[in-house]
Amino acid sequence: MQTAAQPAVQDARADLYRRMDRDNLTPLWEVLHNLVPPQPATPCVPALWKYDAIRPYVMEAGKVITAREAVRRVLILENPGMRGQSCLTRSLYCGLQLILPGEIAPSHRHTQSALRFIVEGSGAYTAVDGERTTMHPGDFIITPPWTWHDHGNPGGEPVVWMDGLDIQIVQLFDAGFMETYPEEVQPVARPEGDSYNRFGHNLAPLEPVAPFARTSPIFSYPYERSRETLETLSKSEDPDACHGWKMRFVNPLTGGFAMPTIGSFVQLLPRGFASQPYRSTDATVYSVVEGAGTVRIGAQSFAFGPRDIFVVPSWQAASFEAHGECVLFSYSDRPAQLALGLWRERRG
Ligand code: 1HN
């Protein structure tokens, strides 16, 4: 415990701080407790966006700017505790992207990794390094770092997806690069489904392959498959008390997470399920795929339904009540924390 210093000592300290400040020096002892708090002290707050409430803004954006003009027509979901920082957690970005029939979002690449989780509509595609994949609600799609990617919607309905990017992680390391492709749309080099065929069936080419460095070579994980897996699992074992039936998306070549910085998950909660509280150091963004329920985060409760998005901050206990059978997709920076030996969890 520090005791209050004598006025003469206080003056001497203030004088010292003032002079050293001119030389860009500052005393650690004044900030130490903030730098190393006893447990995570985050500006990230729990928040939920009702899809029905924000969808009109997304659609209105479609009227005031084209995808081509915007490059990416996205509404960023900003954490209410960190407005102006383009992030939903301290390390991760989240946005809702709209592409209307006939539109294209021009090709570019960057060192930031992106995931797409399809929220509404079918028939748009995303192209990654020469291969297109058609989007359907619930599909989980990856854009690996430094791969050319563009989106298009040759279908007949608006398509909306959630973008998750590791922007703040790349920013932290000042490792961001970006390039625009010389054409708006990159050429198609492989048939649709090629990567899923090569890597998505418990098989792999004979030669070692690392097409996207640390990222899964499967860049589209269809919802049909994830849903079926959860359904089958639910028939053979009891749900986990905290998570229901929860699985992570994997890189089949390594067994690790599908992306090096972002972990992605899908879980099924049975009708009437009331989970035990659970906390972990990876602040997590959820997109509700099916069902309605309530999530309690710390002292706050939020009702959720299909297509809603919510965020659970680091080290805040979350528990779920599923009114109907629920499917939740989620993503967090867990792989990055695990790689750095930082990740912790606590059940109950
Ligand atoms: C980006 O490239 C996409 O490719 C979406 O769809 C959102 C946010 C920040 C920086 C790049 C996309 C993005 C982004």
Side-chain angles (χ1 to χ4, degrees), residues 67-128:
R68 183 178 275 117
E69 254 184 301
V71 180
R72 298 293 184 266
R73 189 204 287 115
V74 183
L75 302 190
I76 304 173
L77 281 73
E78 283 197 331
N79 192 283
M82 295 181 283
R83 292 304 312 274
Q85 296 179 43
S86 304
C87 60
L88 187 42
T89 76
R90 284 263 263 191
S91 59
L92 297 172
Y93 159 106
C94 180
L96 275 178
Q97 180 157 179
L98 167 69
I99 187 150
L100 292 168
E103 286 194 315
I104 57 142
S107 198
H108 69 193
R109 65 178 178 178
H110 39 70
T111 48
Q112 291 81 1
S113 294
L115 68 81
R116 330 280 173 193
F117 187 72
I118 317 311
V119 172
E120 175 185 340
S122 291
Y125 69 81
T126 187
V128 170

Side-chain angles (χ1 to χ4, degrees), residues 11-251:
D11 288 350
R13 286 179 187 170
D15 184 58
L16 171 63
Y17 300 169
R18 205 161 33 241
R19 283 178 289 113
M20 70 164 82
D21 182 66
R22 286 182 232 129
D23 284 309
N24 304 306
L25 296 170
T26 195
L28 169 65
W29 58 88
E30 295 290 338
V31 293
L32 183 58
H33 50 289
N34 287 338
L35 292 182
V36 282
Q39 58 176 47
T42 179
C44 178
V45 298
L48 178 142
W49 284 260
K50 297 295 294 174
Y51 189 69
D52 290 346
I54 59 176
R55 186 183 187 276
Y57 296 123
V58 175
M59 293 304 156
E60 197 178 332
K63 293 193 166 69
V64 300
I65 192 162
T66 64
R68 183 178 275 117
E69 254 184 301
V71 180
R72 298 293 184 266
R73 189 204 287 115
V74 183
L75 302 190
I76 304 173
L77 281 73
E78 283 197 331
N79 192 283
M82 295 181 283
R83 292 304 312 274
Q85 296 179 43
S86 304
C87 60
L88 187 42
T89 76
R90 284 263 263 191
S91 59
L92 297 172
Y93 159 106
C94 180
L96 275 178
Q97 180 157 179
L98 167 69
I99 187 150
L100 292 168
E103 286 194 315
I104 57 142
S107 198
H108 69 193
R109 65 178 178 178
H110 39 70
T111 48
Q112 291 81 1
S113 294
L115 68 81
R116 330 280 173 193
F117 187 72
I118 317 311
V119 172
E120 175 185 340
S122 291
Y125 69 81
T126 187
V128 170
D129 269 1
E131 184 179 335
R132 288 182 179 180
T133 190
T134 303
M135 301 171 161
H136 311 93
D139 291 352
F140 163 59
I141 294 173
I142 301 171
T143 308
W146 210 237
T147 52
W148 296 113
H149 56 284
D150 47 76
H151 319 298
N153 186 353
E157 55 185 17
V159 176
V160 179
W161 65 83
M162 177 176 74
D163 285 314
L165 282 91
D166 58 2
I167 290 176
Q168 285 70 25
I169 297 176
V170 176
Q171 213 164 51
L172 174 68
F173 294 116
D174 277 337
F177 293 86
M178 190 269 195
E179 282 179 359
T180 303
Y181 195 73
E183 332 262 313
E184 279 201 316
V185 179
Q186 65 179 304
V188 174
R190 285 184 307 283
E192 174 151 6
D194 189 76
S195 67
Y196 196 70
N197 184 51
R198 280 174 207 266
F199 300 102
H201 299 90
N202 307 314
L203 293 167
L206 290 188
E207 299 305 321
V209 275
F212 305 126
R214 307 270 314 272
T215 304
S216 171
I218 301 177
F219 73 97
S220 178
Y221 294 73
Y223 184 60
E224 236 186 321
R225 292 280 83 78
S226 336
R227 186 67 179 88
E228 186 182 302
T229 299
L230 293 173
E231 186 69 31
T232 306
L233 207 57
S234 73
K235 293 193 172 118
S236 68
E237 65 175 34
D238 290 338
D240 176 88
C242 295
H243 306 303
W245 296 280
K246 185 169 184 175
M247 303 289 271
R248 62 189 175 91
F249 289 92
V250 296
N251 176 343

